[in-house]
Amino acid sequence: MTDTTEQITSGTRGRHWRAVASMFALNGALFGVWASRIPAIKDLHDLSHSQLGGLLLLLAAGAIVAFPVAGWLSDRRGAAQVTRILGVLNALALFALAMAPGPVMLGVVLLAFGAFHGAMDVTMNGWGAEVERWAKRPQMSTYHAMWSLGAGVGAGTGYLAITLGFGLFMHFLMAGGGLLFVALLFSQDGWVSKVNADARESVFSLPKGALILVGLLAMCASMGEGAMADWSAIYLRDEAGMREPWSPIGFAVFSAAMVVTRLSGGLITRLAAPHKVARVCGLIGGGGMVLAVLSPSVWGTLVGFGLFGIGLALIFPLAFSRAANDPDTPQGQALAGVATLGYGGILLGPPVMGFIASATSLTVSFAVLAAMALMITVLAGALKVPD
């Protein structure tokens, strides 16, 4: 029986919010732990930029394949229940990444890691939507803030692990295992999601009409977020000249900027219309990445990464809100279409960056991110809901 009949109080709201937020934080943290050691994995397996891009494409493929399966499992077994199980599987796949003996097995494990990560992304958002409807107040932006916070914490463990001389497996086991234990502890809130035993397997749909532009808007932001997760440490080490123990700090700065901005999202959107907010965000993000690429100092690059995070932070929540209020498309169909492009972008961004870097340079690939951020400003008008 779904927990929607429980009396709404500040205590129950807080308990259920913490449960969902812990899963968002875990999902982000496991991804951040992995992202912080990509330079080490690249060196360990002697991978070129294009080879790394190809392996990251397998991670994206695993997630995309898992999306419809996760939707079906969420309906059949309940979003909350499936999310907790996927959290464990996601952590186990992270441990396996550290034990891959060569590039081929690394690709196989990345496929599984991407599948569990992507599936958990679908189910935890479903769980969050259930709690949000029950609580009768907007909470989704704060859940995404916890994802960014978790990703930053995960990336921060990379610095500690390198400084303390921990190998990949010890780092992944200690960080991933500890984060999993804490998240599972907070997630035991008694919430039981409604199940639909007659549910059929989900099929992805692309957005239609005006929502195509909304989906592209989300993709511009999400490709930048995915690229920062997987390539910022390599950029700081290979292009900006930062020592390897400090290289994960770039993603941590980016994630921290996203957390602060997302936590302030409610206030910001009350002060200005969504499309106006998006226009300014695109300019901030594009300007920040230009600064990061052109700055002669590491500090300027880090400031640029922070501004880039501020620019991207609110685009995903704004795009989903616009889709949910579309007057011509049922809410579920609209959200599914925009999510397909949005989540596809966060997974396809890293491999695309690898191919661009291989053909030109890593600096050029980061300059492309600046152009995509500026496209947010161009597409911002799509966030207006037709009368």
Side-chain angles (χ1 to χ4, degrees):
M1 181 177 180
T2 307
D3 201 2
T4 53
T5 58
E6 184 178 14
Q7 184 179 1
I8 300 176
T9 66
S10 59
T12 55
R13 275 200 186 106
R15 185 173 75 253
H16 295 313
W17 180 90
R18 284 191 296 271
V20 178
S22 69
M23 290 291 104
F24 272 80
L26 175 65
N27 187 266
L30 295 177
F31 194 74
V33 170
W34 143 253
S36 73
R37 300 307 296 271
I38 289 178
I41 291 175
K42 182 176 183 291
D43 292 344
L44 177 64
H45 297 287
D46 194 24
L47 302 172
S48 66
H49 286 332
S50 60
Q51 288 173 326
L52 179 59
L55 287 171
L56 295 176
L57 191 60
L58 288 175
L59 187 150
I64 291 172
V65 169
F67 282 162
V69 179
W72 177 75
L73 284 174
S74 182
D75 285 337
R76 292 293 298 266
R77 301 297 180 184
Q81 299 88 293
V82 176
T83 298
R84 298 184 186 103
I85 295 172
L86 288 171
V88 176
L89 294 175
N90 199 5
L92 291 175
L94 176 70
F95 305 154
L97 286 172
M99 297 186 292
V104 174
M105 186 54 65
L106 178 63
V108 172
V109 179
L110 274 173
L111 192 70
F113 182 68
F116 294 137
H117 177 81
M120 185 179 176
D121 212 332
V122 171
T123 60
M124 70 188 187
N125 272 284
W127 185 6
E130 292 175 4
V131 174
E132 185 177 54
R133 286 193 296 269
W134 167 82
K136 295 182 174 61
R137 62 172 55 176
Q139 296 180 337
M140 195 61 73
S141 64
T142 61
Y143 294 144
H144 284 271
M146 292 302 101
W147 191 97
S148 299
L149 177 60
V153 170
T157 67
Y159 165 74
L160 292 176
I162 295 171
T163 301
L164 297 174
F166 289 164
L168 284 174
F169 181 73
M170 185 59 67
H171 172 206
F172 287 5
L173 180 64
M174 294 181 65
L179 292 164
L180 175 64
F181 174 79
V182 173
L184 290 177
L185 188 66
F186 278 103
S187 72
Q188 304 304 314
D189 65 334
W191 187 275
V192 179
S193 296
K194 184 174 68 173
V195 300
N196 179 6
D198 298 324
R200 297 181 178 180
E201 187 171 348
S202 302
V203 178
F204 282 117
S205 62
L206 292 174
K208 300 176 182 178
L211 290 178
I212 294 176
L213 297 180
V214 179
L216 291 175
L217 186 75
M219 176 176 277
C220 287
S222 63
M223 285 189 72
E225 188 171 352
M228 283 296 296
D230 285 357
W231 287 100
S232 59
I234 294 175
Y235 181 87
L236 287 174
R237 187 191 68 174
D238 295 351
E239 303 293 323
M242 179 175 279
R243 292 192 303 113
E244 184 171 356
W246 284 95
S247 60
I249 200 173
F251 186 54
V253 169
F254 170 82
S255 298
M258 292 197 79
V259 170
V260 173
T261 307
R262 281 175 168 170
L263 289 175
S264 306
L267 175 62
I268 294 172
T269 52
R270 283 196 296 269
L271 294 175
H275 66 282
K276 294 181 180 179
V277 172
R279 285 194 182 117
V280 175
C281 286
L283 292 174
I284 293 173
M289 188 51 70
V290 169
L291 172 63
V293 171
L294 298 181
S295 175
S297 71
V298 170
W299 291 108
T301 300
L302 291 176
V303 170
F305 283 176
L307 291 172
F308 192 59
I310 292 172
L312 300 189
L314 297 180
I315 304 305
F316 235 50
L318 290 176
F320 282 125
S321 177
R322 165 63 178 85
N325 290 284
D326 188 79
D328 302 318
T329 309
Q331 177 175 299
Q333 182 181 341
L335 288 171
V338 171
T340 300
L341 287 180
Y343 285 114
I346 201 171
L347 295 165
L348 292 175
V352 169
M353 289 281 288
F355 296 137
I356 294 175
S358 181
T360 55
S361 70
L362 201 55
T363 299
V364 171
S365 65
F366 270 73
V368 171
L369 294 182
M372 296 198 71
L374 293 175
M375 279 298 299
I376 292 173
T377 298
V378 175
L379 297 170
L383 294 176
K384 293 181 179 178
V385 178
D387 296 331

